[in-house]
Amino acid sequence: MKGDKFQEDKMSEYRNKLEVAAIFRLLREKGKVEGRKSRRKIYAGFDTYTYLSSGIIRIFLNLVGMAFYRAEGQGTNVKKGEKISVEDQNWAAHIVSKGYLEKIHKNIEAYGGINGEMMYQFVTDIGDIFRERLLFHSSEPETLSISIKDPQNLNTDESRLLNNFLIHSVRESILYKREETSSYRPKHTTTIRTKDYVLNRIYSPALEISYRARWGRCNFTVKELSYLLDSDSRAETKKILQQRQRTSETTYPMFKGMTLE
């Protein structure tokens, strides 16, 4: 990148990093134009369903089953080999996603001060934070990853609730621990390694975010996440964390000047 000039030889890099985010941003802009019908991102296809299921067969079967149900209701003879339309697949993905999200507060049993309502609120809040990043971050907009910068502080009395939340959310497949790879290890041995969690992808359509975890990670401190769990400090903390997603160290020229507000 040379200053703010667009480099054609970087097109593949731009596309890889920013194409999906650009789609979400254009769909958002269309919804703001008076007289136009807002459109949602399409989630369809075998690969997409595989990603959304996060490796859980039950979720994959629910997605496929709902798509079959919708298609047959629309007159498609799936048993005779007729293809399920993209529209029906997309409808099924949104319905199943919404169903899983809304069932959190009903299906999650209380544990260590954590209940289903608290977990549901956290998922929707973190989804809003991820969406803010998707719509405004200029270099690494896509993410489903929660990166805790100071994991050593999880063992304190003040962070007991958050620690219980993380344990319970992994147990209930709300979050997944991200296994450490060489690409995620600190460059310096003295740097504290982050503790990373990935949001279950099935919530992506309902939260209107990308299902790809990608390289981008939202960095949080233990105190910030603890405040996000606290009903008294939640709203202000969420606002601050959303605002932080609008900044990045690198600005890509193809997004420079794009006004989304």
Side-chain angles (χ1 to χ4, degrees):
M1 191 183 306
K2 298 177 181 179
D4 289 331
K5 293 183 179 180
F6 175 75
Q7 293 177 269
E8 190 173 351
D9 61 336
K10 295 289 186 179
M11 176 57 74
S12 60
E13 178 185 346
Y14 294 147
R15 184 168 186 172
N16 183 39
K17 283 194 171 186
L18 305 172
E19 181 179 35
V20 172
I23 292 172
F24 275 94
R25 297 176 191 197
L26 290 172
L27 289 173
R28 177 180 181 273
E29 282 296 291
K30 183 174 182 180
K32 291 169 58 180
V33 178
E34 186 176 356
R36 288 190 180 183
K37 184 179 179 180
S38 178
R39 293 184 60 188
R40 297 182 299 180
K41 174 73 170 63
I42 292 175
Y43 298 84
F46 181 83
D47 289 343
T48 298
Y49 274 20
T50 301
Y51 272 112
L52 290 177
S53 63
S54 294
I56 301 176
I57 298 298
R58 182 182 70 258
I59 295 179
F60 181 80
L61 293 177
N62 284 340
L63 288 165
V64 174
M66 188 62 73
F68 269 65
Y69 168 78
R70 174 69 171 183
E72 291 182 344
Q74 296 294 321
T76 303
N77 197 330
V78 181
K79 294 179 181 178
K80 287 189 176 181
E82 293 184 13
K83 294 183 179 179
I84 300 176
S85 69
V86 170
E87 292 76 15
D88 289 342
Q89 293 177 50
N90 181 51
W91 180 89
H94 281 278
I95 291 297
V96 173
S97 177
K98 183 180 179 181
Y100 271 96
L101 181 62
E102 292 180 347
K103 286 191 296 185
I104 290 178
H105 73 281
K106 296 179 182 179
N107 292 353
I108 303 300
E109 296 182 0
Y111 167 84
I114 303 297
N115 55 44
E117 186 62 36
M118 186 183 295
M119 195 166 287
Y120 169 81
Q121 191 64 69
F122 182 88
V123 171
T124 55
D125 285 345
I126 209 71
D128 288 341
I129 293 168
F130 286 163
R131 180 165 171 79
E132 195 78 7
R133 184 185 183 94
L134 183 64
L135 294 176
F136 295 101
H137 201 280
S138 59
S139 62
E140 296 180 348
E142 288 181 85
T143 189
L144 286 176
S145 300
I146 299 170
S147 183
I148 301 176
K149 297 189 293 184
D150 53 344
Q152 73 278 6
N153 291 330
L154 283 171
N155 299 319
T156 64
D157 290 338
E158 292 78 7
S159 61
R160 184 173 301 168
L161 186 67
L162 175 62
N163 197 39
N164 288 342
F165 172 85
L166 294 172
I167 293 172
H168 200 30
S169 62
V170 170
R171 182 182 300 161
E172 296 291 342
S173 299
I174 305 294
L175 299 176
Y176 297 95
K177 282 186 179 180
R178 174 168 240 165
E179 298 301 326
E180 184 184 84
T181 62
S182 58
S183 60
Y184 282 99
R185 289 173 187 160
K187 294 180 181 180
H188 305 289
T189 56
T190 56
T191 303
I192 297 175
R193 293 182 179 179
T194 60
K195 198 166 188 177
D196 302 316
Y197 296 86
V198 180
L199 182 66
N200 191 321
R201 293 177 175 86
I202 192 57
Y203 305 123
S204 299
L207 297 173
E208 297 188 78
I209 56 179
S210 172
Y211 58 75
R212 305 192 301 180
R214 307 298 285 166
W215 52 86
R217 292 180 292 176
C218 277
N219 293 311
F220 305 95
T221 64
V222 166
K223 182 177 288 187
E224 288 169 343
L225 292 177
S226 295
Y227 282 172
L228 196 60
L229 284 176
D230 190 314
S231 59
D232 294 330
S233 56
R234 172 187 156 264
E236 184 62 26
T237 300
K238 177 182 175 180
K239 181 180 179 181
I240 293 172
L241 293 177
Q242 283 183 296
Q243 290 174 342
R244 196 166 70 195
Q245 305 313 311
R246 294 169 175 257
T247 61
S248 64
E249 294 179 1
T250 306
T251 300
Y252 283 80
M254 69 186 302
F255 273 180
K256 185 177 181 182
M258 180 182 282
T259 302
L260 295 177
E261 295 183 305

